[in-house]
């Protein structure tokens, strides 16, 4: 197995110009597959609220749910660095509460770092979590937890003032101790400027090719939802079609009685005869005695 990826590995990848590969995962099986496929970072995103739970946004996701899914992913990952999202209202109230919840993701969820959304207004929060020896990944641009404030899932930083604020936010997060930064839904020119201005790596999603790495939701890159077609997603497989076809074939064989066949059935090691138990009628006199005599002989060899 290759060496375990750490936050220091990611910094070295930026310095060497090697792109970082990051993808979301929400359970141990996907984590194992994606880890074996070469992922550098597995993000346990609060996007699970939408792609796993079927919610309309990430806002209903709780700390307990993030801990549960993070622990599952951590069990499946061998090489990749695992980072867990701090969900809505788990860090916004106070730096102290943020540290407490970040500590839960590390101690109970077994992640290697945490991610939170927001800019300079959360610099003190980032600083407090880092002071507690927990690495923090930042997240700027289209921040899903602020969907109501932004008025929807729209690209951020398109005008000069907004771009300047985002660059300032990025520098503030780096100064506060963040080890990496996700840029989501950002014009590629702005993403390039931010990436060149930071010593820490940037991970883009809908932010163009100039970031130090890329992240996608695993279900999106695998083509599991044909109705979700954002501009920034490329489908590298069509698992929706493959899974539907496999399920249809399975159902057809079950209904036709062709599955399971002999190949998929077990055989006894020697011939046995089964004794059919005598029915017990509770109303009949002596029923309790009959039941006691029948006992548990069903299946006993004779």
């Amino acid at each position: 197995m290759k060496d375990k990826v750490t936050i220091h590995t990611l910094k070295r990848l930026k310095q060497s110009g090697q792109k970082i590969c990051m993808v979301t995962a929400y359970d141990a099986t996907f984590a194992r597959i994606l880890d074996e496929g070469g992922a550098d970072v597995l993000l346990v995103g609060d996007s699970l609220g939408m792609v796993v739970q079927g919610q309309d946004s990430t806002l209903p996701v709780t700390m307990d749910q993030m801990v549960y899914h993070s622990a599952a992913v951590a069990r499946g990952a061998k090489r990749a660095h695992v980072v867990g999202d701090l969900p809505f209202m788990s860090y916004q109230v106070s730096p102290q509460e943020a540290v407490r919840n970040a500590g839960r993701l590390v101690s109970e969820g077994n992640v290697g770092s945490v991610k939170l959304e927001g800019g300079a207004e959360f610099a003190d929060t980032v600083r407090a979590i880092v002071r507690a020896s927990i690495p923090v990944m930042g997240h700027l641009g289209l921040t899903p937890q602020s969907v109501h404030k932004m008025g929807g899932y729209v690209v951020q930083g398109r005008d000069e003032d907004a771009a300047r604020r985002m660059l300032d936010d990025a520098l503030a997060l780096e100064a506060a101790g963040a080890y990496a930064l996700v840029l989501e839904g950002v014009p590629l020119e702005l993403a390039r400027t931010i990436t060149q201005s930071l010593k820490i790596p940037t991970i883009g999603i809908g932010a163009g090719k100039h970031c130090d790495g890329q992240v996608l939701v695993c279900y999106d890159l695998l083509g599991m939802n044909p109705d979700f077609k954002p501009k920034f997603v490329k489908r590298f497989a069509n698992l929706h079609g493959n899974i539907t076809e496999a399920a249809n074939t399975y159902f057809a064989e079950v209904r036709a009685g062709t599955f399971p066949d002999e190949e998929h059935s077990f055989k006894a090691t020697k011939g046995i005869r089964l004794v059919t138990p005598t029915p017990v009628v509770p109303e009949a006199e002596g029923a309790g005695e009959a039941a006691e005599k029948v006992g548990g002989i069903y299946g006993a060899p004779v």
Side-chain angles (χ1 to χ4, degrees):
M1 183 184 73
K2 295 181 180 179
D3 292 340
K4 180 76 174 178
V5 175
T6 69
I7 62 173
H8 304 294
T9 308
L10 302 180
K11 184 176 182 179
R12 288 195 296 270
L13 290 176
K14 176 184 176 77
Q15 292 170 343
S16 67
Q18 177 67 49
K19 296 292 187 179
I20 297 166
C21 296
M22 178 166 153
V23 63
T24 67
Y26 312 100
D27 60 51
T29 298
F30 262 92
R32 176 177 54 80
I33 293 170
L34 295 168
D35 186 89
E36 291 174 356
D40 298 314
V41 184
L42 293 177
L43 168 64
V44 190
D46 58 2
S47 49
L48 69 88
M50 303 173 78
V51 299
V52 176
Q53 299 175 346
Q55 306 279 7
D56 292 331
S57 72
T58 65
L59 303 182
V61 177
T62 67
M63 267 303 303
D64 285 344
Q65 291 166 351
M66 287 305 308
V67 167
Y68 172 86
H69 285 276
S70 294
V73 169
R75 284 190 287 269
K78 301 302 180 185
R79 172 185 173 270
H81 177 75
V82 179
V83 52
D85 265 339
L86 284 170
F88 182 59
M89 295 310 294
S90 67
Y91 63 92
Q92 289 92 336
V93 176
S94 70
Q96 294 75 23
E97 187 168 345
V99 172
R100 209 161 26 241
N101 285 320
R104 284 195 65 195
L105 276 182
V106 173
S107 62
E108 299 175 45
N110 204 27
V111 301
S113 65
V114 300
K115 182 172 76 65
L116 58 78
E117 299 177 7
E121 69 273 23
F122 290 108
D124 287 342
T125 299
V126 171
R127 198 171 287 110
I129 297 174
V130 172
R131 192 181 302 122
S133 300
I134 300 172
V136 177
M137 177 181 287
H139 185 156
L140 294 176
L142 195 169
T143 47
Q145 291 180 19
S146 302
V147 60
H148 297 310
K149 178 181 178 181
M150 294 184 301
Y153 299 102
V154 293
V155 174
Q156 302 294 302
R158 276 185 155 156
D159 62 71
E160 189 170 341
D161 288 341
R164 168 52 61 182
R165 286 194 300 271
M166 196 179 302
L167 176 57
D168 290 343
D169 282 338
L171 293 168
L173 291 173
E174 180 180 53
Y179 75 88
L181 182 63
V182 169
L183 297 176
E184 179 172 1
V186 175
L188 63 87
E189 300 90 349
L190 174 56
R192 176 171 55 190
T193 298
I194 292 174
T195 299
Q196 293 173 345
S197 302
L198 300 179
K199 293 183 175 64
I200 61 175
T202 60
I203 312 293
I205 175 169
K209 65 181 182 179
H210 301 295
C211 295
D212 297 306
Q214 298 294 325
V215 60
L216 282 177
V217 170
C218 61
Y219 295 162
D220 294 345
L221 73 90
L222 294 173
M224 297 181 73
N225 183 359
D227 299 323
F228 186 62
K229 303 175 181 178
K231 179 180 177 64
F232 62 85
V233 169
K234 178 178 179 179
R235 292 176 181 163
F236 294 85
N238 177 28
L239 289 200
H240 179 273
N242 293 340
I243 293 171
T244 301
E245 182 180 356
N248 285 340
T249 302
Y250 162 61
F251 301 147
E253 290 192 11
V254 169
R255 291 177 179 128
T258 58
F259 177 84
D261 53 15
E262 186 171 328
E263 180 185 354
H264 299 96
S265 301
F266 297 103
K267 292 184 178 181
T269 55
K270 62 180 180 178
I272 59 172
R273 291 166 52 200
L274 301 182
V275 178
T276 303
T278 304
V280 177
V281 183
E283 293 78 12
E285 186 176 350
E289 183 180 347
E292 187 175 334
K293 289 179 179 179
V294 171
I297 66 169
Y298 181 78
V302 297

